[in-house]
Amino acid sequence: NWGGFGATSDRFAVKAESIDCMLPINDNIVCTGSMDGVIRAINILPNRVIGSVGQHLGEPIEQLAKSPDGRLLASCAHDHRVKFCDIASLITMQVDDHR
């Protein structure tokens, strides 16, 4: 963060034990799959956790993939299910520098 010297700017406030997989959605947004079973959308610069886009109840996420048009996110976890989430709104999302 320019002008934010002294502050740690490479950390994200994600409430998960680990991030097990990651998938870029666009130049600024990635989706992460965690051990807690939650799929989160995270913006890079400015560093923001956008929110949860899906979950596998209490089961660690193993892998994430996008549909060819980028509108759906597929996830698989230890529950042996493949789930689909609509991520169309993330493709064009702009995150403001100010909260």
Side-chain angles (χ1 to χ4, degrees):
N1 288 343
W2 189 257
F5 302 110
T8 304
S9 63
D10 64 344
R11 306 265 191 307
F12 297 89
V14 176
K15 297 177 181 175
E17 290 180 29
S18 68
I19 293 177
D20 300 327
C21 54
M22 227 186 303
L23 180 73
I25 303 303
N26 60 28
D27 288 343
N28 297 316
I29 297 174
V30 298
C31 281
T32 63
S34 303
M35 184 175 273
D36 62 0
V38 178
I39 303 165
R40 293 173 178 87
I42 298 175
N43 193 80
I44 311 293
L45 295 174
N47 299 351
R48 301 274 191 282
V49 176
I50 297 169
S52 172
V53 296
Q55 71 177 5
H56 289 257
L57 293 171
E59 298 291 338
I61 306 294
E62 294 179 3
Q63 194 167 3
L64 299 172
K66 277 191 306 187
S67 63
D69 65 0
R71 301 180 62 82
L72 291 176
L73 177 76
S75 62
C76 63
H78 287 205
D79 59 3
H80 303 291
R81 295 180 183 194
V82 175
K83 292 188 176 184
F84 297 92
C85 304
D86 183 359
I87 58 167
S89 63
L90 291 177
I91 297 169
T92 57
M93 180 177 283
Q94 295 292 320
V95 175
D96 190 8
D97 287 341
H98 304 286
R99 291 181 186 223

